[in-house]
Amino acid sequence: MSERLQIDLINEVSVRISGQVVPLVQSRKTVALMAYLAVTGQPHRREHLCELFFPDTNDPKGSLRWSLTKLRQALNTHSTCLQTPGTSVLIDADLISLDVHHVQAVHDAADPSSADLVEVAELLSHRPFMGLELSRNDDYALWLMGEREQLHSLRPRIFQRMVTAEDVSDQDAVKWLRRWQRLDPYSHEAPRLLSQKLTDLGLQDEAAIVARDYTALMGDSAVIEPRRDPLEPVRTRQSIGFCKASDGVKIAYAKVGNGPPLVKTANWLNHLELDWESPIWADMFHALAADHTFVRYDERGNGLSDWDVPDISFPAFLEDLETVVDHLGLTRFPLLGLSQGCAVSIEYSIRHPEKVSAMILIGGYAAGWRVGLSPEEREQREAVLTLTRHGWGTSNPAYRHIFSQTFMPNADSERLAWFDDFQRRTTSPENAVRFQEAFGDIDIRHLLPKVQTPTLVLHARDDQRIPLRCGRELAANIPNAELVTLDSQSHIILGDEPAWQVCMNEISRFLAKHVPEGRKGRR
């Protein structure tokens, strides 16, 4: 049998046979097509490939034929790797060696060699699929993003196993741990293992610096604690997927943790990759994922979901939640709503009472700012809309800072700056305005008495974004709802606030009472 073709996509794109480089055509779409076929390793209909790679060409079928001709010339010199049976196209995975598959195999191996671990760690130190991005190819971009996320999710296990291997020197272990910490700055495991290794080597001062920097980044409540088993699999590694709403809008969702499901409704604003390890939400999200399969999603118009959408409205927000739940096949689960996500949660629980076992509403409201606020407050919100239209996308954070300070009035400058930048990266100026207008028109007050689901309402006593009276209105009108006021000014309760621990304790108590099986997922 001929030697298998080697295709590399992670560090740099290349094709080799017997060590000799095979030249590729200078067409980004053609090379991206090769990467897609090689990674998926399965047949794809020609129509699908035309839609994925050539939606903006006058002759998609002709463009695909041209690309396949160029790929045959490069790939099929020693064996028929590229095959076109009937109306399908595939690259036979058995006839090639692919670095992406090698990385996954080493990750999954029961006892990989240190050499393999070092090789794969080096590969995972690079940004995968560089140069394979395509403009105006949304479906392909979502696939590429998912593949990158999958490779990044393999880093922790690879690095952990490598630095604890018997034949890896202490010097190399420290070197790789520092690299891991640089690659994943919000990782909990990298600084913990690095601090532990430095302490074992008698380098207490350096270990103290690692712990200090970790606390500065993650907040005063973050503490580096040793884990019993350094090779214990990390549960809190999220996986990201995509599904489509009925109007064709692509919605990104994430799952993380073990145990029974807990679904969080989208709020202002979300980005599955950025907020998971953020200094704003990470404490809450990681705590919730410890006992549940924690499900989040980016609603239309922001984050990893489609931005260019025809409809940003309350009914569309509700459909986004329904789309994710149906796609994942969830049958019964507690629902967590934050801010305007509370209104979406409430209407969903009324439409689907058989699915929602309990409901937790934090900082929520039943009537949007055009409906439920005073004339003076409405005038202020209209002024903010004007500022958003003209200043959201600029490099000057002053416009976005208006939001940041009302969400977290007591946050330190670093977290305020992070949230300023986060908002800019999470949605467009146009969508930021559309979101605010949609939130202003929400009015579900008439639905509150229809809620059948056990409900916990949590609200900061001095919330500067959504007044406490809004939370009281929810609790007063939802049958048998519990109300807990939190001693804070924040709309987003931060992990180093005393109110945060009170909030988390109340959530745990409520779920244990109304969803007893919720504690069984903990391991």
Side-chain angles (χ1 to χ4, degrees):
M1 181 176 179
S2 301
E3 183 177 349
R4 291 200 295 177
L5 200 71
Q6 175 67 44
I7 300 179
D8 293 329
L9 301 173
I10 296 179
N11 186 4
E12 59 181 20
V13 177
S14 68
V15 176
R16 288 174 287 123
I17 186 75
S18 301
Q20 299 298 312
V21 175
V22 177
L24 294 172
V25 65
Q26 296 299 307
S27 164
R28 180 171 292 197
K29 284 193 176 184
T30 301
V31 177
L33 171 64
M34 178 193 72
Y36 179 76
L37 293 170
V39 172
T40 57
Q42 62 186 28
H44 295 280
R45 292 180 298 104
R46 288 175 179 261
E47 292 81 0
H48 167 68
L49 297 176
C50 287
E51 293 173 359
L52 199 62
F53 292 97
F54 308 104
D56 55 347
T57 61
N58 293 328
D59 183 10
K61 292 182 179 179
S63 298
L64 176 61
R65 284 195 301 271
W66 183 87
S67 290
L68 292 176
T69 297
K70 297 301 180 181
L71 288 178
R72 285 192 193 94
Q73 294 171 359
L75 304 182
N76 287 4
T77 56
H78 289 71
S79 62
T80 312
C81 300
L82 179 65
Q83 302 171 13
T84 54
T87 59
S88 297
V89 180
L90 80 150
I91 288 180
D92 191 334
D94 293 332
L95 300 179
I96 65 169
S97 294
L98 182 67
D99 57 353
V100 175
H101 294 164
H102 175 61
V103 169
Q104 186 70 58
V106 172
H107 175 273
D108 296 342
D111 188 23
S113 68
S114 296
D116 280 343
L117 289 169
V118 170
E119 178 190 12
V120 168
E122 186 66 50
L123 286 172
L124 292 177
S125 298
H126 300 278
R127 179 174 171 79
F129 307 111
M130 281 293 290
L132 293 180
E133 299 85 357
L134 300 176
S135 60
R136 299 186 299 278
N137 292 69
D138 293 342
D139 287 340
Y140 169 77
L142 290 173
W143 172 82
L144 189 65
M145 190 181 303
E147 291 301 318
R148 281 178 171 154
E149 174 64 26
Q150 169 62 21
L151 283 170
H152 288 160
S153 73
L154 305 182
R155 260 191 210 141
R157 186 67 170 165
I158 292 293
F159 276 78
Q160 281 181 344
R161 300 176 84 176
M162 181 183 63
V163 301
T164 55
E166 292 182 358
D167 55 347
V168 172
S169 68
D170 291 333
Q171 183 179 3
D172 284 342
V174 170
K175 178 192 73 174
W176 283 107
L177 284 168
R178 290 194 186 281
R179 180 184 293 194
W180 180 16
Q181 187 179 32
R182 185 178 72 251
L183 292 169
D184 296 328
Y186 291 105
S187 165
H188 298 284
E189 287 301 294
R192 184 191 67 80
L193 289 173
L194 177 57
S195 178
Q196 182 179 11
K197 174 61 72 174
L198 292 170
T199 300
D200 293 343
L201 295 174
L203 303 173
Q204 282 81 4
D205 289 345
E206 292 189 39
I209 292 173
V210 172
R212 182 200 66 194
D213 292 345
Y214 172 76
T215 301
L217 182 66
M218 303 301 291
D220 292 337
S221 62
V223 178
I224 292 179
E225 296 179 349
R227 190 191 295 274
R228 287 182 184 175
D229 177 4
L231 293 183
E232 177 186 344
V234 180
R235 292 198 306 262
T236 51
R237 301 295 169 188
Q238 64 177 353
S239 61
I240 294 177
F242 300 88
C243 52
K244 280 191 178 183
S246 62
D247 59 357
V249 172
K250 288 180 286 295
I251 305 298
Y253 65 87
K255 296 192 301 178
V256 61
N258 295 318
L262 168 62
V263 179
K264 175 192 165 293
T265 311
N267 56 275
W268 169 283
L269 293 159
N270 297 133
H271 189 296
L272 297 175
E273 290 182 316
L274 298 179
D275 62 17
W276 172 240
E277 293 287 5
S278 78
I280 309 298
W281 292 286
D283 291 316
M284 171 178 278
F285 291 175
H286 283 255
L288 294 172
D291 291 303
H292 300 86
T293 298
F294 187 39
V295 177
R296 299 153 35 242
Y297 63 95
D298 293 339
E299 66 193 355
R300 61 187 59 218
N302 80 141
L304 300 182
S305 295
D306 279 353
W307 286 21
D308 185 12
V309 295
D311 185 17
I312 292 181
S313 64
F314 183 75
F317 300 153
L318 185 64
E319 182 179 357
D320 292 347
L321 172 58
E322 291 175 328
T323 298
V324 172
V325 170
D326 293 346
H327 177 78
L328 293 176
L330 302 177
T331 56
R332 191 157 176 80
F333 51 87
L335 195 56
L336 170 67
L338 308 179
S339 196
Q340 91 278 357
C342 295
V344 176
S345 300
I346 288 167
E347 180 148 351
Y348 183 90
S349 75
I350 294 171
R351 290 193 184 189
H352 309 280
E354 76 287 353
K355 288 183 177 289
V356 185
S357 56
M359 190 159 51
I360 302 159
L361 308 176
I362 304 177
Y365 54 90
W369 58 269
R370 283 201 179 100
V371 180
L373 296 184
S374 66
E376 294 79 10
E377 290 170 318
R378 288 199 299 273
E379 186 175 346
Q380 292 174 4
R381 293 294 183 98
E382 292 286 0
V384 170
L385 274 180
T386 300
L387 290 173
T388 302
R389 287 189 180 95
H390 297 291
W392 184 270
T394 69
S395 58
N396 186 343
Y399 302 96
R400 298 179 300 277
H401 208 61
I402 295 170
F403 296 90
S404 304
Q405 289 203 308
T406 56
F407 279 104
M408 304 168 292
N410 296 319
D412 55 60
S413 58
E414 289 186 6
R415 276 183 282 195
L416 287 173
W418 184 92
F419 194 56
D420 289 342
D421 185 61
F422 168 81
Q423 293 179 99
R424 179 184 61 81
R425 297 170 63 185
T426 300
T427 197
S428 65
E430 296 78 15
N431 284 354
V433 172
R434 295 170 72 191
F435 274 122
Q436 292 176 64
E437 290 178 333
F439 300 161
D441 294 332
I442 290 173
D443 189 1
I444 60 160
R445 290 173 294 181
H446 61 291
L447 297 178
L448 300 182
K450 299 180 181 180
V451 174
Q452 304 174 31
T453 305
T455 303
L456 171 65
V457 178
L458 295 147
H459 211 108
R461 184 174 293 111
D462 299 307
D463 189 328
Q464 295 189 15
R465 186 72 187 169
I466 305 297
L468 175 59
R469 67 174 183 271
C470 296
R472 286 175 173 159
E473 180 181 34
L474 294 178
N477 291 281
I478 293 176
N480 303 314
E482 300 180 45
L483 172 65
V484 175
T485 56
L486 304 170
D487 187 14
S488 175
Q489 294 180 298
S490 300
H491 187 54
I492 300 174
I493 309 293
L494 300 175
D496 55 0
E497 292 188 65
W500 181 86
Q501 191 60 59
V502 174
C503 178
M504 300 309 298
N505 289 343
E506 289 295 330
I507 291 174
S508 295
R509 174 195 62 79
F510 179 76
L511 290 177
K513 176 181 177 182
H514 292 287
V515 193
E517 69 273 17
R519 303 300 297 176
K520 295 178 182 179
R522 187 154 195 160
R523 297 179 182 176

